[in-house]
Amino acid sequence: EVPPYGQLELRSVYHTREVEVKRLEALAAMNERPIDVFISHDWPRGIYHHGNVNQLLKKKPFFQKEVQENSLGSPANEQLLHLLRPRYWFSAHLHVKFSAEIRHRSNERSQIDSGD
């Protein structure tokens, strides 16, 4: 995909691709220090389990099915969240304010914040 984007490419250019995941995995392997800030378009899948899911569903009740099926958010970003363990992760695709804190196996923490 290269600019200018056509209608078909325009919808997909902001999604995380496998090649980008591989590049970031390589970066993580080279760097022992956690990343401070990560910014993505879409949420990592599953972050709603680490924040106030009831408040989220009150604001966006149509997310209920996706939350139950654990399909809300990006699986690639979920993978990167657990691999890179950034201190802060910002995203906004779902257009609702939401915060969560992930505690990784290494006992490091990631603060996830999304804006509307």
Side-chain angles (χ1 to χ4, degrees):
E1 298 165 338
V2 292
Y5 300 117
Q7 288 294 17
L8 293 175
E9 297 89 7
L10 191 60
R11 181 162 172 80
S12 70
V13 295
Y14 53 80
H15 292 282
T16 306
R17 289 177 177 64
E18 187 64 28
V19 67
E20 294 163 337
V21 172
K22 295 295 181 197
R23 287 176 182 155
L24 289 166
E25 285 175 350
L27 176 67
M30 295 173 8
N31 189 2
E32 293 181 22
R33 189 174 144 229
I35 292 173
D36 288 324
V37 176
F38 195 96
I39 300 172
S40 67
H41 177 77
D42 206 356
W43 294 12
R45 181 180 60 187
I47 66 163
Y48 33 84
H49 296 304
H50 302 277
N52 190 337
V53 70
N54 293 328
Q55 183 181 17
L56 173 65
L57 293 175
K58 188 174 182 179
K59 292 178 183 178
K60 299 279 188 169
F62 45 88
F63 287 171
Q64 179 74 41
K65 183 178 179 192
E66 291 173 283
V67 167
Q68 288 174 338
E69 295 172 350
N70 197 35
S71 62
L72 184 65
S74 166
N77 286 345
E78 177 185 27
Q79 180 182 348
L80 289 172
L81 171 65
H82 294 295
L83 177 70
L84 301 175
R85 301 179 315 274
R87 291 186 177 109
Y88 300 95
W89 185 300
F90 299 100
S91 59
H93 175 68
L94 298 177
H95 304 280
V96 61
K97 288 187 184 217
F98 185 76
S99 292
E101 185 177 84
I102 307 288
R103 185 176 291 203
H104 302 283
R105 289 184 197 157
S106 61
N107 218 22
E108 294 166 305
R109 295 175 189 211
S110 292
Q111 178 64 41
I112 315 294
D113 287 301
S114 68
D116 55 2

